[in-house]
Amino acid sequence: MGIGWTFEDGGYTGPSSRQAGNLDCSGYTRMVYGHHLGVPMAAGQNTSGTFLPRRSREMAEHSPGVRVDRTDGTNPPAAAQLHPGDLVLFNADSGDDGDDAASPTVDHVGMHLGTDSEGRRRFLSSRKSVNGPTMADLSGASVLDGTGVYARTLHTVHRV
């Protein structure tokens, strides 16, 4: 929306020129859970577990609610444990700074929708581009089953 924000410590962050006008995945998730469902949202880097953090990697560690499952470093979480509305967090960009096999970086978040008419587990998220919330993009369909990018890179399932 082109609006900057001020954190609790007084630091100001405005939108980058590269992403101005876009709604990224964590911003979309916060809009749905925070603005529309009333889940308290963190300002800055609040790690108390009582607020929905700003960034996807912080959501994986410090969101309110309960962690349902997390990757063991080899296998993704069991998709069978998913309920509609669960946060699904991914390590979808293997080129992230600091990313290694022992400590993968969560870099994307979406919301599980349930199963589609073909029995596939689907999720909804927003990307860094101006196309807004979507169920598919250049990285692959937003499906949590099979061998697609999101099925392979699912990192954490969290129930808010």
Side-chain angles (χ1 to χ4, degrees):
M1 295 187 304
I3 301 170
W5 54 90
T6 301
F7 291 106
E8 292 172 347
D9 64 4
Y12 171 80
T13 302
S16 70
S17 60
R18 193 179 68 197
Q19 292 185 355
N22 305 343
L23 185 61
D24 68 3
C25 60
S26 55
Y28 178 68
T29 300
R30 285 169 49 98
M31 183 184 72
V32 171
Y33 283 91
H35 291 295
H36 295 295
L37 297 176
V39 175
M41 294 183 290
Q45 294 186 340
N46 186 303
T47 59
S48 68
T50 57
F51 298 92
L52 192 58
R54 169 63 186 99
R55 302 172 80 196
S56 57
R57 69 178 45 111
E58 294 159 359
M59 287 181 185
E61 298 299 324
H62 306 292
S63 289
V66 63
R67 181 178 301 148
V68 175
D69 200 8
R70 172 168 276 177
T71 183
D72 61 8
T74 303
N75 300 304
Q81 297 182 43
L82 287 164
H83 289 186
D86 285 350
L87 296 181
V88 286
L89 299 113
F90 304 89
N91 177 30
D93 182 0
S94 60
D96 287 340
D97 292 340
D99 201 20
D100 61 46
S103 179
T105 302
V106 168
D107 53 30
H108 190 61
V109 61
M111 295 164 272
H112 181 242
L113 297 174
T115 55
D116 64 15
S117 60
E118 296 176 15
R120 298 175 299 183
R121 293 173 180 90
R122 303 293 304 236
F123 72 96
L124 183 66
S125 64
S126 187
R127 310 306 199 259
K128 292 180 182 179
S129 58
V130 190
N131 64 352
T134 182
M135 289 179 57
D137 74 348
L138 298 175
S139 298
S142 298
V143 177
L144 300 170
D145 301 301
T147 59
V149 66
Y150 294 113
R152 290 189 327 270
T153 63
L154 183 60
H155 183 279
T156 301
V157 175
H158 194 87
R159 192 160 296 141
V160 177

